[in-house]
Amino acid sequence: MLPLRVDVSRETITYPIEIKSGHLKNIGSFLQKLKIGTHAVVVTNPIVRKHHGNTLLSSLREAGFEVEVLEVPSGEESKSAVVAFELIAKIAEHHAGKDVFIVAFGGGVVGDLAGYVASAYRRGIPYIQVPTTFLAQIDSAIGGKVAVDLPFGKNLVGAFYHPKVVYSDITTLLTLDKRQIRNGLAEAVKYGVICDKNVFFFIESNVEALLGCNEKVLTEIVYQCSRIKSNIVSRDEREEKGLRVILNFGHTVGHAIEAACDYQEYHHGEAIALGMRIVAEISLQMRLAKEDDVNRLNHLLSRVGLPERIEGPRLPEILNRMRHDKKFKSGNNRFVLMTGLGSVKVREGIDPQIIQSAIEKYSGNS
Ligand code: GLY
């Protein structure tokens, strides 16, 4: 068990991250002990339900829970305010007056959507995260930020709302395709760069085993990344102390690339990998990072099979999207830059020429 302690406004919230292979079948008895409620509303998508639904649902039912499954289509379109309020209406209709809790059973979309529904219904009901993608297990299920999108922007409706447990079963990763594993590995590499060089070295030594879904190495990397994220979130839950910001390494540029490509071309981790290459280049040009470390990062991202160049003529659109990033403080640019493997620094007001030339270096038609 990896305990996660988060301090929120003088009140302490503590919840575990349970990481193991094959413990999904025990989730019912685990939740009985947690005394979380009697009626489980499982929010999931058809793919996760097909692969792992029986295991979860049987375990919950055998433990005596009343269970309802609410399926949403796979994909980002489900992470919308409209879908969230449809779910809330169904829960209110079917479970009025019941001791209900929500099970977010899927990847990042389901986790954010179900977490937001839990935060909003009756001003907050208990929920748990059961992440089934690599990216969700090491990143999106941990941290308490839940949100849905509006037609004019992502994550515009949301809350800080923590689950009672993050229950990560490594065997759910074995049904993922390689692209999804690569996608998660981009964030794992990020953790290595921002705060733990041993995690970076571990990925370097185990790329093939990770891509081959070796359960032992996957368990170790999920554990290490969960430890890093929970540690950062515990010290700066609401991004107020300047600590949590380092999780955005590669994300300002990465988000701009995703948006410039209308969220079609790249999966999140792929865009973040490009973002990390670009901020590493900015770090190099500003003489903060050593060439060897930047080359080592780029080499590892390539070995994982993450993109090396931005496809198409995107530069003006990427620059424009970056200017509108809500993380740019009062119009001033702000980047998390690497100073070595395992260490980063936040810098503001970077010369736009340096940013532009770093993006150009990784642009397909430069
Ligand atoms: N839900 C992801 C985070 O809080 O960072």
Side-chain angles (χ1 to χ4, degrees):
M1 187 182 97
L2 181 64
L4 168 62
R5 179 177 294 278
V6 184
D7 294 314
V8 191
S9 350
R10 281 178 255 124
E11 194 192 331
T12 298
I13 295 174
T14 307
Y15 56 95
I17 301 172
E18 297 279 339
I19 301 162
K20 214 170 165 179
S21 265
H23 67 344
L24 191 58
K25 61 181 182 300
N26 305 327
I27 194 165
S29 51
F30 179 88
L31 293 179
Q32 262 178 341
K33 288 182 212 124
L34 215 58
K35 300 203 185 324
I36 188 173
T38 53
H39 286 59
V41 172
V42 178
V43 179
T44 191
N45 69 40
I47 299 170
V48 172
R49 186 177 189 176
K50 177 175 150 234
H51 287 301
H52 311 291
N54 281 344
T55 312
L56 177 94
L57 300 179
S58 312
S59 178
L60 290 174
R61 289 190 175 117
E62 276 161 25
F65 292 102
E66 288 290 322
V67 184
E68 182 181 24
V69 181
L70 297 180
E71 244 184 46
V72 294
S74 306
E76 183 75 22
E77 291 71 32
S78 288
K79 209 184 111 170
S80 77
V82 172
V83 175
F85 281 90
E86 282 170 5
L87 294 181
I88 288 172
K90 279 188 191 152
I91 297 168
E93 197 186 333
H94 301 173
H95 302 281
K98 302 281 167 47
D99 202 0
V100 63
F101 65 97
I102 290 178
V103 179
F105 186 42
V109 166
V110 161
D112 271 12
L113 170 71
Y116 175 70
V117 166
S119 77
Y121 179 56
R122 293 197 322 223
R123 297 195 193 89
I125 59 168
Y127 82 111
I128 66 164
Q129 290 278 7
V130 186
T132 58
T133 65
F134 189 22
L135 192 65
Q137 290 193 355
I138 66 170
D139 186 17
S140 60
I142 304 168
K145 284 189 194 172
V146 291
V148 290
D149 304 338
L150 290 177
F152 22 84
K154 281 167 72 77
N155 295 327
L156 289 179
V157 184
F160 285 93
Y161 195 66
H162 294 277
K164 297 291 179 205
V165 60
V166 179
Y167 200 89
S168 298
D169 184 339
I170 301 300
T171 56
T172 61
L173 308 185
L174 308 181
T175 49
L176 299 178
D177 62 34
K178 284 263 184 307
R179 191 172 181 191
Q180 286 173 297
I181 297 290
R182 289 193 181 103
N183 205 34
L185 275 173
E187 293 284 356
V189 170
K190 178 197 81 178
Y191 288 124
V193 176
I194 64 172
C195 66
D196 191 337
K197 61 180 186 308
N198 290 324
V199 167
F200 188 94
F201 301 153
F202 181 83
I203 300 168
E204 272 186 332
S205 308
N206 291 284
V207 172
E208 285 74 25
L210 286 161
L211 290 172
C213 285
N214 174 302
E215 273 182 72
K216 196 158 169 265
V217 289
L218 279 177
T219 305
E220 179 63 19
I221 199 72
V222 170
Y223 180 86
Q224 292 302 338
C225 294
S226 301
R227 172 185 63 78
I228 292 171
K229 177 128 188 209
S230 68
N231 188 277
I232 293 170
V233 173
S234 301
R235 290 183 293 137
D236 185 15
E237 191 235 1
R238 296 203 173 214
E239 246 170 76
E240 289 162 346
K241 299 179 189 157
L243 298 170
R244 197 172 166 153
V245 66
I246 66 170
L247 292 167
N248 294 330
F249 179 71
H251 282 56
T252 301
V253 186
H255 284 156
I257 293 170
E258 278 185 289
C261 300
D262 292 326
Y263 300 95
Q264 299 299 322
E265 200 124 5
Y266 298 110
H267 284 191
H268 177 71
E270 294 165 351
I272 296 317
L274 287 163
M276 288 193 285
R277 290 182 193 273
I278 290 163
V279 285
E281 177 63 24
I282 296 172
S283 314
L284 186 62
Q285 289 189 24
M286 292 180 65
R287 298 179 197 279
L288 289 170
K290 290 200 215 94
E291 196 164 1
D292 279 356
D293 290 338
V294 171
N295 289 343
R296 204 161 160 177
L297 168 62
N298 284 324
H299 184 58
L300 180 55
L301 294 171
S302 296
R303 280 182 63 209
V304 170
L306 288 157
E308 297 181 347
R309 306 191 76 72
I310 306 162
E311 296 299 326
R314 312 270 191 206
L315 185 63
E317 186 59 12
I318 293 169
L319 291 172
N320 191 36
R321 296 283 184 164
M322 264 170 29
R323 277 184 214 110
H324 291 99
D325 189 308
K326 63 179 183 299
K327 297 201 170 76
F328 270 33
K329 264 194 161 175
S330 49
N332 209 358
N333 70 45
R334 180 164 66 140
F335 285 89
V336 182
L337 300 176
M338 68 183 278
T339 50
L341 294 175
S343 69
V344 285
K345 221 177 213 157
V346 180
R347 281 288 176 92
E348 285 184 19
I350 294 164
D351 180 353
Q353 278 306 322
I354 295 183
I355 301 169
Q356 182 159 335
S357 88
I359 298 174
E360 272 167 358
K361 179 168 176 178
Y362 288 99
S363 290
N365 57 349
S366 65

